[in-house]
Amino acid sequence: MGVQTFGIDLSPAMVALAREAHPAVRFHRGSMTSLDLPDETLGGILALYSIIHIPDDHLPATFAGFHRVLVPGGHVLLSFQKGESPGLHLTERFGHEIDLRYYWRPAYAVGDMLAKAGLDVAATLIREPLGPEKMPRAFVLARKPG
């Protein structure tokens, strides 16, 4: 569609898989909690099921970073498992020791944090679980004013 895109992931293995699956798209290692990008350079941010790994006290700075790198009128679309419980901490997966934390949040709380970062929430959608899913999914679309 003529739009330049790129991907960022914290995991080198996920970056390698993304490059293999989509060789025409740029992918590099990085973190959404500290975007190494110039101010007002992105037209949009898509974060699918990734804010679930960021503790509540780090989300305001993350969303402020989104605001910083978005051009005026730029959008951010977040999707995440919606929940009211504190989350989950896994220490083992598939026979390997890990330290993986999940943070479940209600959609209104994420919308409030986006608004405090200076982004206008345009839409919120809650989808009930499908098939083997156990939790509802939330989708929040926000826009940088301008």
Side-chain angles (χ1 to χ4, degrees):
M1 296 182 74
V3 176
Q4 292 183 357
T5 62
F6 65 94
I8 298 173
D9 200 287
L10 195 56
S11 164
M14 293 304 289
V15 170
L17 287 171
R19 286 176 178 159
E20 184 179 319
H22 304 281
V25 178
R26 276 186 308 126
F27 293 96
H28 59 92
R29 189 166 183 263
S31 174
M32 77 169 84
T33 62
S34 59
L35 292 170
D36 186 18
L37 298 166
D39 294 356
E40 297 188 350
T41 56
L42 299 182
I45 296 171
L46 176 63
L48 301 177
Y49 303 103
S50 50
I51 66 166
I52 62 169
H53 300 295
I54 301 174
D56 288 346
D57 59 340
H58 289 106
L59 275 181
T62 300
F63 293 161
F66 289 3
H67 182 277
R68 179 186 64 78
V69 300
L70 283 170
V71 298
H75 288 83
V76 58
L77 176 60
L78 306 174
S79 65
F80 52 96
Q81 291 91 341
K82 174 192 160 301
E84 304 287 336
S85 68
L88 178 67
H89 180 207
L90 297 179
T91 56
E92 184 276 331
R93 189 76 168 181
F94 305 113
H96 298 280
E97 286 187 33
I98 61 169
D99 182 15
L100 184 59
R101 296 174 192 272
Y102 295 88
Y103 301 92
W104 312 134
R105 302 172 179 93
Y108 74 84
V110 173
D112 288 349
M113 285 186 253
L114 287 165
K116 286 179 183 167
L119 299 163
D120 296 332
V121 175
T124 301
L125 172 78
I126 307 301
R127 178 180 61 73
E128 293 304 317
L130 297 175
E133 298 172 348
K134 295 182 178 14
M135 299 178 71
R137 301 311 198 239
F139 302 85
V140 180
L141 177 66
R143 180 179 176 274
K144 181 175 179 176

